[in-house]
Amino acid sequence: MLQEVFRYLAAHSGQFLLAALVLGLVAVVVSIVLLSKTRSTLGPLSRLRAETDDPSQILPAVLRLVEQNESRIEELATNMAAHIEESHFFVRYVGLVRYDAFEDIAGQQSYSMCLLDSHKNGVVMTYLTAKASTRSYAVVIKGGEAHRKLSDEEGRAMEIALSAEAPVTQAR
């Protein structure tokens, strides 16, 4: 019986060698993957080695790093609040009306455009295009109110800008 086992092993030794080689290769790949995962998991702890090599000082080092992060987060929050405050003065509402101001030129070359910030302050600009000239006008808007009477096209541009649909709208 033992001789039969040896004969079987001798007859199939190439297959056993190939199987052992494949298993060894799989073990190497699995080891590399596990080592890589371990390094990526322990990567953040490598910053602690710069802080201290003494295991008893790891917790104080972690606390120092947490405090540093807290101060950075507070600084970012302050900067963000300042940017949000500044953003109220950015153009937020836009209304555009194109039209033919004169009979001698077509293609809606003239337009009135209203640009407002979140406080409804801004300007209505009108450009009237004729064959030989272009004229431009600007009307200051404060709190959604013009400082002079608006033309029909300027009024429509402002209505579009002030519409509750959505900020930054465009219409003809």
Side-chain angles (χ1 to χ4, degrees), residues 36-97:
S36 172
K37 284 185 177 183
T38 302
R39 282 188 178 163
S40 66
T41 302
L42 297 177
L45 294 178
S46 65
R47 283 182 57 191
L48 295 176
R49 293 196 86 178
E51 295 280 326
T52 182
D53 282 332
D54 182 7
S56 67
Q57 294 301 311
I58 289 178
L59 188 56
V62 168
L63 292 175
R64 275 193 305 276
L65 292 173
V66 167
E67 288 172 359
Q68 288 174 1
N69 283 342
E70 285 176 348
S71 67
R72 288 181 185 147
I73 290 170
E74 287 174 15
E75 181 181 346
L76 287 172
T78 301
N79 290 341
M80 185 65 142
H83 289 305
I84 288 171
E85 188 60 35
E86 288 174 9
S87 75
H88 293 294
F89 300 103
F90 298 168
V91 172
R92 185 159 267 166
Y93 300 96
V94 177
L96 177 66
V97 176

Side-chain angles (χ1 to χ4, degrees), residues 23-37:
L23 284 175
L25 203 55
V26 167
V28 167
V29 168
V30 167
S31 298
I32 290 172
V33 168
L34 290 176
L35 181 62
S36 172
K37 284 185 177 183

Side-chain angles (χ1 to χ4, degrees), residues 96-99 108-113 125-128:
L96 177 66
V97 176
R98 295 179 58 185
Y99 53 95
Q108 296 185 329
Q109 300 295 316
S110 298
Y111 63 90
S112 292
M113 180 170 45
M125 296 181 289
T126 298
Y127 292 85
L128 302 175

